[in-house]
Amino acid sequence: MAKYSKSDGVRRITGEDGHGWTPGDGRSWVRDATNGPVYVMEKRRKNLVDESPDTGWYLYDDTSNGFFGEWCGSRILEAVDEANRLIAETEARHEGD
């Protein structure tokens, strides 16, 4: 399971796969992206108008992989593990492209 850590005064969440997430703007966490796509987990409240069916953490990216509001979990540590799993699956599918 993902866990919190702190180094050089910066809070991080590190997933089981070793990918780290740092605090973003507002209620969000950003996955470390060294020369790669940017992934963001954003805390959203249930709102059927903007297609947020459940309160929790939603995954977004800046690529064409299609993560635009993918629900990952109600608790951040569980959501980080689910987001990393979804990202790994998507990247494996797109490796041959």
Side-chain angles (χ1 to χ4, degrees), residues 19-66:
H19 286 286
W21 296 74
T22 55
D25 296 334
R27 298 183 309 175
S28 67
W29 287 84
V30 180
R31 182 168 147 167
D32 298 343
T34 306
N35 298 323
V38 175
Y39 296 97
V40 177
M41 294 275 290
E42 183 179 295
K43 177 76 176 212
R44 309 235 7 190
R45 295 194 189 279
K46 181 178 181 174
N47 183 342
L48 300 179
V49 174
D50 70 357
E51 298 180 12
S52 300
D54 295 302
T55 296
W57 293 93
Y58 288 79
L59 177 63
Y60 297 87
D61 70 3
D62 66 347
T63 69
S64 60
N65 290 339

Side-chain angles (χ1 to χ4, degrees), residues 16 29 36 46 67 80 83 85-86 94:
E16 291 178 332
W29 287 84
K46 181 178 181 174
F67 293 121
V80 163
R85 185 189 68 75
L86 291 170
H94 291 284

